């Protein structure tokens, strides 16, 4: 033997070595046949421990006959890459890597070690043992084995997978940049044709935008995908968590004359507090109650709300007061109640407030308080302000002259609109405010033209100024109440408190005039208002503010379900019985399908705590009550968004795409909180191209005819 051979080849293991290896042999062994079946890139490396569960791997019948059991355990412990098959040795590392190694010239791939073909030679056991030790040592030091070990170590580090992931991250990054650009366009109501210009700008700023998905068509498809995925997440959250649901609808027409239905949802989406969101815009085939009902149910079913879920969790239905919606026999609400017996129908509080004002006007026409009454004058007051609207809205010349008159008297001109029309009272309040603030400018403009003498005579009467102050006070109160009811977080019990408070305010104004009425009364005494002299005119009848505000108080009512009022602590009697309201709570639980016994116990605890804290057992019932939408203001916001999106230049957009744009605009998060990667992953999972795709032709840049002056700039 050569002197350079390892000490392993000099002498067989001593008895001390064998004894020392007994403990290790119980825990580790050769990788044997299991390693031979491994694949390139297994996590097992040269330092892996060998399990002793497989008895064949330590059996003397598998290993060379010249080795004792102690020697088998010794070699398998110190050379964990050593394997054996049919009493012949092999290398687990080389068998795994095998022909994947790029060998240099002059080097030979050891098929014997990779195929477990190494056998011993010699006349006796000692010679056979020495031959095996020498072969093991030579293979351990061979370049091929070292390179195989190096390759396997690299494979355990998942280098290739990391490289692929890095490439995918680069694709994701550029695609995410494109998605954010498209989302910005949809969120802010910009046209799709902005997409190529926005992409070009970002490329010039050094942002990686890929090579495709830069066209206006790609922008539209990306926004459709984002809206669909967002809507899917909303539905999954509601259905999977079995949340109570309230549906809000309203019907209108687009600029193209198509009849559409806005569907909004109110539910405790991803939180305990219910929220109202826009859901979908549906094109109606007809405007009958049957058509609307079928379109609504089809929308809910197509988006994942199955009939079983709606039977159990559809809690309420909110709409305006149109006969097609609330008709007792064949209205939409009646048809829904026939399918869902426990459905709670609520008439929009804002529309109900408008009806209260209209009832005051109609009451004046019916009762004809011509001698003492103020109520007929509300009609005359409306006609006069409508004349002002027509005068300045239809004529730019008159508007310009009024602006000059306001500038001459040092006033800021406010827009004069319609009053007491189909719009909500907030718009009427703005019109009365404009007349009140621009009173002097109107008088100056009327005196400048002889044809406005009739309008000037009415404007400068004492009765008109007093009536203007009374209407300003009333519409200010109603406008503030209307805005409060339009809030998204407004609940049914809060709305009831607001309406009750407003009724008390109107009752107080019967005897105590409001601030603007008081100012008008002082102007009546002095016969001057805003530096304009006033005169008497018996033809202009003065409003009796006491009767006017009493009529408003009588017509303003919350019409809240009496059982729900039991949950309001301010409606409880002074001496509270422990079972007070239990029957009402049971009826609410049966109607809203909430745990009855838990809610009753929670309500009793709620009463004992004097409503200072809400017990956990009562929260499901309160959440169900708060899920009922107070107002359809979210539907009106959706119509406003639709009108902003569907302009006369974009009236060719189909209803489905408009619905997606409205959903993003109304419900989408701000741009800095938009997680584009989530939607990029679902986009690529559908087989769509990434922005870095090379399988298609990139969009060619639009050629612009150059101008000679560009060289100067």
């Amino acid at each position: 033997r050569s002197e350079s051979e390892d000490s392993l080849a000099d002498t067989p293991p001593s008895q001390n070595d064998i004894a020392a290896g007994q403990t290790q042999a119980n825990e580790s062994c050769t990788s044997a046949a299991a390693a031979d079946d491994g694949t390139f890139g297994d996590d097992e490396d040269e330092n892996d421990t060998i399990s002793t569960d497989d008895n064949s791997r330590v059996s003397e019948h598998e290993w060379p006959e010249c080795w004792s059991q102690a020697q088998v355990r010794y070699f398998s412990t110190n050379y964990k890459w050593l394997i054996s098959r049919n009493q012949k040795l092999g290398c687990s590392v080389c068998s795994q890597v095998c022909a994947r190694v790029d060998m240099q010239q002059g080097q030979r791939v050891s098929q014997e070690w990779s195929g477990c073909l190494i056998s011993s030679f010699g006349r006796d056991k000692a010679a056979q043992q020495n031959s095996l030790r020498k072969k093991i040592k030579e293979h351990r030091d061979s370049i091929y084995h070292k390179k195989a070990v190096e390759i396997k170590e690299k494979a355990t580090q998942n280098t290739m997978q990391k490289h692929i992931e890095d490439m995918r991250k680069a694709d994701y990054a550029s695609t995410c940049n494109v998605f954010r650009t498209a989302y910005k366009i949809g969120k802010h109501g910009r046209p799709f044709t902005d997409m190529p210009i926005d992409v070009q700008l970002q490329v010039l700023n050094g942002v990686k935008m890929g090579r495709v998905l830069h066209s206006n068509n790609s922008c539209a498809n990306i926004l459709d995908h984002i809206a669909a995925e967002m809507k899917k997440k909303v539905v999954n959250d509601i259905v999977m968590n079995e949340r109570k649901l309230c549906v809000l609808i309203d019907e209108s027409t687009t600029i193209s004359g198509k009849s559409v239905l806005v569907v909004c949802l109110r539910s405790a989406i991803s939180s305990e507090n219910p929220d109202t969101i826009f859901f979908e815009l549906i094109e109606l085939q007809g405007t009958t109650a049957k058509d609307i009902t079928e379109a609504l149910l089809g929308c809910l079913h197509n988006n994942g709300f199955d009939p079983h879920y709606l039977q159990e969790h559809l809690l309420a239905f909110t709409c305006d007061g149109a006969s097609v919606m609330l008709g007792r026999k064949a209205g939409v609400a009646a048809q829904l109640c026939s399918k869902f017996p426990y459905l709670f129908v609520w008439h929009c509080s804002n529309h109900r407030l408008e009806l209260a004002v209209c009832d005051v006007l109609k009451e004046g026409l019916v009762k004809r308080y011509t001698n003492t009454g103020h109520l007929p004058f509300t009609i005359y007051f409306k006609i006069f302000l409508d004349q002002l609207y027509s005068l300045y809205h239809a004529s730019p010349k008159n508007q310009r002259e009024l602006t000059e008159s306001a500038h001459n008297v040092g006033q800021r001109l406010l827009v004069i609109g319609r009053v007491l029309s189909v719009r909500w009272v907030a718009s009427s309040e703005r019109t009365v405010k404009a007349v009140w603030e621009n009173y002097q400018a109107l008088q100056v403009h009327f005196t400048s033209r002889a044809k406005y003498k009739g309008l000037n005579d009415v404007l400068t009467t004492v009765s008109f100024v007093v009536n203007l102050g009374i209407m300003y006070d009333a519409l200010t109160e109603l406008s503030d109440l209307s805005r409060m009811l339009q809030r998204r977080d407004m609940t049914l019990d809060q709305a009831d408190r607001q309406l009750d408070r407003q009724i008390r305010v109107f009752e107080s104004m019967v005897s105590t005039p409001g601030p603007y009425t008081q100012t008008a009364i002082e102007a009546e005494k002095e016969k001057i208002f805003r530096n304009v002299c006033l005169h008497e005119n018996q033809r202009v009848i003065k409003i009796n503010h006491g009767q006017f505000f009493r009529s408003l108080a009588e017509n303003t009512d919350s019409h809240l379900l009496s059982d729900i009022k039991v949950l309001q602590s301010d409606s409880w009697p002074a001496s509270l019985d422990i079972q007070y309201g239990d029957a009402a709570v049971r009826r609410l639980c049966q109607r809203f399908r909430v745990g009855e016994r838990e809610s009753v116990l929670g309500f009793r605890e709620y009463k004992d705590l004097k409503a200072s804290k809400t017990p956990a057992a009562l929260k499901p019932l309160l959440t169900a009550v708060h899920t009922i939408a107070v107002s359809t203001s979210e539907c009106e916001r959706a119509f406003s968004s639709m009108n902003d999106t569907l302009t006369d230049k974009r009236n060719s957009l189909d209803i489905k795409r408009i619905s997606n744009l409205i959903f993003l605009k109304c419900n989408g998060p701000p741009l800095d909180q938009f997680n584009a990667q989530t939607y990029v992953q679902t986009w690529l999972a559908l087989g769509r191209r990434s922005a870095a795709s090379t399988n298609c032709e990139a969009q060619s840049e639009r050629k612009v005819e150059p101008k000679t002056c560009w060289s100067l700039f």
Side-chain angles (χ1 to χ4, degrees):
R1 291 178 299 182
S2 173
E3 294 180 358
S4 62
E5 290 184 357
D6 191 92
S7 60
L8 171 67
D10 292 338
T11 58
S14 63
Q15 295 298 324
N16 293 333
D17 294 335
I18 294 175
Q22 292 295 330
T23 303
Q24 295 180 346
N26 292 331
E27 299 178 353
S28 58
C29 186
T30 182
S31 53
D36 186 60
D37 294 333
T39 58
F40 178 73
D42 266 342
D43 290 336
E44 181 186 8
D45 59 16
E46 189 173 307
N47 296 322
D48 289 342
T49 57
I50 308 300
S51 172
T52 59
D53 293 338
D54 191 355
N55 295 330
S56 64
R57 292 160 69 179
V58 294
S59 173
E60 291 182 345
H61 300 290
E62 291 291 332
W63 294 88
E65 294 181 350
C66 62
W67 280 357
S68 65
Q69 187 71 19
Q71 289 176 317
V72 169
R73 290 173 177 168
Y74 175 82
F75 283 108
S76 62
T77 301
N78 290 277
Y79 297 89
K80 295 181 175 62
W81 46 265
L82 195 63
I83 59 176
S84 178
R85 186 184 301 131
N86 298 326
Q87 298 183 359
K88 295 183 180 181
L89 299 180
C91 176
S92 63
V93 176
C94 296
S95 64
Q96 292 176 22
V97 177
C98 195
R100 297 177 185 270
V101 180
D102 296 330
M103 301 303 297
Q104 298 178 0
Q105 185 177 3
Q107 295 179 346
R108 180 177 62 87
V109 177
S110 176
Q111 299 295 332
E112 292 81 4
W113 278 103
S114 62
C116 286
L117 301 176
I118 301 297
S119 60
S120 61
F121 66 90
R123 297 179 180 179
D124 52 13
K125 284 189 176 182
Q128 293 173 359
Q129 292 173 359
N130 290 336
S131 66
L132 290 178
R133 282 195 295 271
K134 183 176 181 180
K135 290 181 179 181
I136 292 172
K137 185 263 179 186
E138 289 177 348
H139 181 70
R140 182 195 66 184
D141 297 337
S142 66
I143 297 176
Y144 175 83
H145 178 75
K146 292 180 179 179
K147 193 168 185 179
V149 171
E150 180 182 354
I151 291 175
K152 188 174 182 181
E153 289 178 350
K154 290 182 178 180
T156 59
Q157 299 174 359
N158 296 324
T159 305
M160 184 62 69
Q161 183 178 356
K162 291 181 179 179
H163 178 66
I164 294 174
E165 289 178 356
D166 292 340
M167 293 178 61
R168 288 179 177 176
K169 287 180 180 179
D171 290 351
Y172 280 158
S174 58
T175 310
C176 286
N177 293 336
V178 173
F179 268 58
R180 292 189 193 95
T181 305
Y183 181 76
K184 186 271 296 183
I185 292 174
K187 179 67 178 176
H188 296 280
R190 298 297 304 164
F192 300 147
T193 51
D194 282 4
M195 185 70 173
I197 304 300
D198 288 351
V199 170
Q200 183 181 10
L201 174 63
Q202 295 185 75
V203 171
L204 294 175
N205 289 333
V207 180
K208 295 182 178 180
M209 301 295 292
R211 57 185 302 275
V212 293
L213 302 181
H214 298 169
S215 66
N216 56 338
N217 292 329
S218 298
C219 178
N221 293 332
I222 289 172
L223 291 177
D224 289 342
H225 174 77
I226 294 174
E229 290 298 317
M230 286 184 174
K231 192 179 300 182
K232 196 179 300 181
K233 291 181 179 180
V234 171
V235 174
N236 290 339
D237 181 82
I238 295 175
V239 175
M240 297 302 293
N241 294 285
E242 298 183 347
R243 306 186 190 276
K244 299 297 182 182
L245 181 66
C246 175
V247 176
L248 304 79
I249 66 170
D250 200 358
E251 187 265 338
S252 184
T253 55
T254 65
I255 192 174
S256 304
K258 297 180 180 179
S259 297
V260 292
L261 183 72
V262 166
V263 180
C264 296
L265 303 180
R266 181 173 176 82
S267 182
I269 303 173
S270 70
S271 67
E272 296 182 357
N273 300 320
D275 188 20
T276 307
I277 64 169
F278 166 81
F279 190 65
E280 192 162 348
L281 186 71
I282 311 170
E283 183 176 359
L284 294 174
Q285 302 302 321
T287 56
T288 64
K290 182 180 179 181
D291 294 329
I292 295 175
T293 304
E294 291 177 352
L296 173 61
L297 294 179
C299 167
L300 296 177
H301 294 163
N302 294 336
N303 284 282
F305 294 108
D306 57 83
H308 176 71
Y309 171 83
L310 294 177
Q311 284 289 346
E312 294 295 327
H313 299 93
L314 181 57
L315 187 70
F317 171 73
T318 303
C319 61
D320 59 14
S323 59
V324 70
M325 297 292 181
L326 293 180
R328 293 184 178 181
K329 293 184 178 180
V332 176
Q335 296 187 30
L336 290 176
C337 288
S338 65
K339 299 178 182 294
F340 310 101
Y342 295 100
L343 189 67
F344 183 87
V345 178
W346 182 255
H347 183 188
C348 170
S349 296
N350 285 102
H351 286 88
R352 187 174 291 169
L353 188 63
E354 298 297 319
L355 292 178
V357 178
C358 293
D359 289 342
V360 173
L361 301 180
K362 291 179 181 178
E363 185 179 348
L365 292 176
V366 173
K367 292 185 178 181
R368 297 289 182 180
Y369 294 141
T370 54
N371 296 326
T372 61
H374 53 294
L375 290 173
F377 179 78
T378 55
I379 301 298
Y380 306 145
F381 182 81
K382 179 180 183 302
I383 294 173
F384 179 79
L385 293 187
D386 286 345
Q387 288 178 344
L388 295 183
Y389 171 78
S390 301
L391 178 65
Y392 295 110
H393 181 74
S395 174
K397 177 184 177 183
N398 293 336
Q399 179 69 25
R400 184 174 61 256
E401 292 176 351
L402 179 61
T403 303
E404 294 175 356
S405 300
H407 179 72
N408 292 334
V409 297
Q411 293 181 350
R412 182 173 63 91
L413 186 65
L414 301 180
V415 178
I416 299 176
R418 293 188 180 275
V419 64
L420 304 176
S421 62
V422 294
R423 293 178 177 269
W424 288 353
V425 291
S427 62
S428 299
E429 184 265 343
R430 289 193 294 268
T431 298
V432 174
K433 179 181 178 181
V435 176
W436 180 274
E437 297 293 337
N438 301 136
Y439 183 85
Q440 187 177 1
L442 288 169
Q443 193 272 337
V444 170
H445 184 226
F446 288 163
T447 55
S448 64
R449 303 284 293 274
K451 65 178 181 178
Y452 299 144
K453 184 178 182 300
L455 292 175
N456 185 57
D457 289 341
V458 175
L459 183 71
T460 56
T461 59
V462 173
S463 299
F464 177 83
V465 173
V466 174
N467 295 336
L468 184 64
I470 293 173
M471 293 297 294
Y472 197 3
D473 278 329
L475 291 175
T476 299
E477 295 291 338
L478 291 171
S479 176
D480 292 340
L481 177 60
S482 178
R483 290 190 179 96
M484 290 293 294
L485 296 176
Q486 294 175 37
R487 287 170 46 187
R488 289 188 176 94
D489 59 347
M490 180 61 64
T491 60
L492 210 57
D493 52 344
Q494 292 175 354
D496 183 66
R497 293 190 184 94
Q498 294 285 345
L499 289 168
D500 286 344
R501 185 184 303 116
Q502 194 60 57
I503 291 173
R504 297 197 304 270
V505 170
F506 286 149
E507 291 174 348
S508 174
M509 284 185 170
V510 172
S511 57
T512 305
Y516 299 107
T517 303
Q518 189 65 39
T519 303
I521 292 174
E522 294 175 358
E524 180 184 12
K525 295 177 181 178
E526 299 176 358
K527 294 293 188 295
I528 187 171
F529 177 68
R530 292 184 175 269
N531 299 325
V532 176
C533 294
L534 305 180
H535 65 277
E536 295 287 350
N537 189 341
Q538 298 299 327
R539 298 180 60 185
V540 181
I541 303 172
K542 189 189 303 182
I543 293 178
N544 186 325
H545 75 276
Q547 292 181 353
F548 180 76
F549 285 108
R550 185 178 296 109
S551 179
L552 281 176
E554 292 173 354
N555 287 279
T556 304
D557 190 7
S558 62
H559 300 285
L560 186 65
L561 189 66
S562 59
D563 289 344
I564 296 180
K565 285 188 179 244
V566 173
L567 300 175
Q568 300 177 6
S569 58
D570 51 6
S571 65
W572 295 345
S575 57
L576 190 63
D577 185 76
I578 187 60
Q579 294 192 53
Y580 170 79
D582 287 0
V585 170
R586 290 190 182 95
R587 288 192 294 268
L588 289 175
C589 292
Q590 292 174 2
R591 183 164 190 174
F592 297 155
R593 282 151 293 175
V594 181
E596 180 178 322
R597 189 57 188 169
E598 295 81 359
S599 299
V600 170
L601 295 177
F603 181 61
R604 291 173 180 174
E605 184 181 355
Y606 188 57
K607 289 182 289 187
D608 288 340
L609 295 173
K610 306 297 182 183
S612 60
K613 182 180 179 181
T614 303
L618 188 61
K619 286 184 178 180
L621 179 59
L622 292 179
T623 301
V625 173
H626 294 166
T627 302
I628 301 173
V630 175
S631 169
T632 58
S633 57
E634 194 66 27
C635 297
E636 303 296 338
R637 294 188 186 98
F639 284 134
S640 298
S641 179
M642 179 188 72
N643 294 331
D644 292 340
T645 303
L646 195 62
T647 61
D648 53 350
K649 294 183 178 180
R650 304 182 72 186
N651 57 6
S652 61
L653 290 173
D654 60 90
I655 301 300
K656 183 66 176 177
R657 182 150 290 168
I658 298 172
S659 176
N660 292 334
L661 292 176
I662 297 174
F663 188 92
L664 293 177
K665 191 172 183 180
C666 295
N667 304 326
L671 185 60
D672 59 339
Q673 300 179 26
F674 173 65
N675 183 13
Q677 189 169 0
T678 302
Y679 305 98
V680 170
Q681 291 174 353
T682 55
W683 171 273
L684 297 178
L686 294 174
R688 311 297 292 269
R689 294 188 180 96
S690 68
S693 176
T694 58
N695 296 332
C696 60
E697 184 179 356
Q699 184 180 11
S700 59
E701 295 184 3
R702 182 181 178 182
K703 295 183 179 180
V704 180
E705 183 179 355
K707 293 187 176 182
T708 56
C709 64
W710 288 356
S711 59
L712 298 176
F713 305 149

